Amino acid sequence: QLQLVESGGGLVQPGGSLRLSCAASGFTLNYRAIGWFRQAPGKEREGVSCISSVAPSTNYADSVKGRFTISRDNTKNTVYLQMNSLKPEDTAVYYCAATELLFARCVLSQRYDYWGQGTQVTVSS
């Protein structure tokens, strides 16, 4: 009923690009904070990026600044993560998540109530 579905992951060589999508059903993403998170094997979950209708509109982890871009298409109820110049250390399962709270700020450490199933990104030569 209230679902987030990630897609767009895959195998890519270092320096390559991928575009991840997070599509929502059962609710709209327009006024919620949406975050991208990742978890590599043997490591804890890490916040990657978020987007919100409330300033600051976007935030990025230092490790991905200048390489990743988060965006939103309200007409499609979808959030994207464009990943360029990929590195082996970007390898992880990537998850998108949304707040139940409307007009939540873009903060990766806040509570996120809805989570997708994840999509695998593997960067290897």
Side-chain angles (χ1 to χ4, degrees), residues 5-27:
V5 179
E6 304 95 333
S7 62
L11 175 64
V12 64
Q13 294 186 343
S17 298
L18 286 173
R19 191 189 194 196
L20 305 183
S21 298
C22 175
S25 62
F27 66 107

Side-chain angles (χ1 to χ4, degrees), residues 58-72:
T58 60
N59 274 319
Y60 299 90
D62 289 341
S63 59
V64 306
K65 286 181 179 177
R67 299 188 299 120
F68 290 11
T69 303
I70 191 169
S71 61
R72 178 180 63 196

Side-chain angles (χ1 to χ4, degrees), residues 28-118:
T28 63
L29 299 176
N30 297 27
Y31 307 111
R32 307 174 191 269
I34 312 299
W36 282 99
F37 301 82
R38 65 187 182 186
Q39 188 165 21
K43 298 185 181 296
E44 294 186 351
R45 187 179 64 201
E46 174 190 19
V48 176
S49 183
C50 59
I51 189 167
S52 175
S53 61
V54 178
S57 58
T58 60
N59 274 319
Y60 299 90
D62 289 341
S63 59
V64 306
K65 286 181 179 177
R67 299 188 299 120
F68 290 11
T69 303
I70 191 169
S71 61
R72 178 180 63 196
D73 187 341
N74 288 338
T75 65
K76 298 180 179 179
N77 207 24
T78 299
V79 171
Y80 304 96
L81 185 68
Q82 178 68 45
M83 306 186 296
N84 298 326
S85 302
L86 283 163
K87 305 174 181 179
E89 51 262 45
D90 295 317
T91 296
V93 177
Y94 283 71
Y95 302 89
C96 68
T99 62
E100 182 176 351
L101 179 66
L102 301 182
F103 300 103
R105 295 192 297 172
C106 188
V107 179
L108 287 168
S109 60
Q110 72 183 310
R111 172 175 175 168
Y112 288 85
D113 299 280
Y114 306 108
W115 291 79
Q117 85 290 346

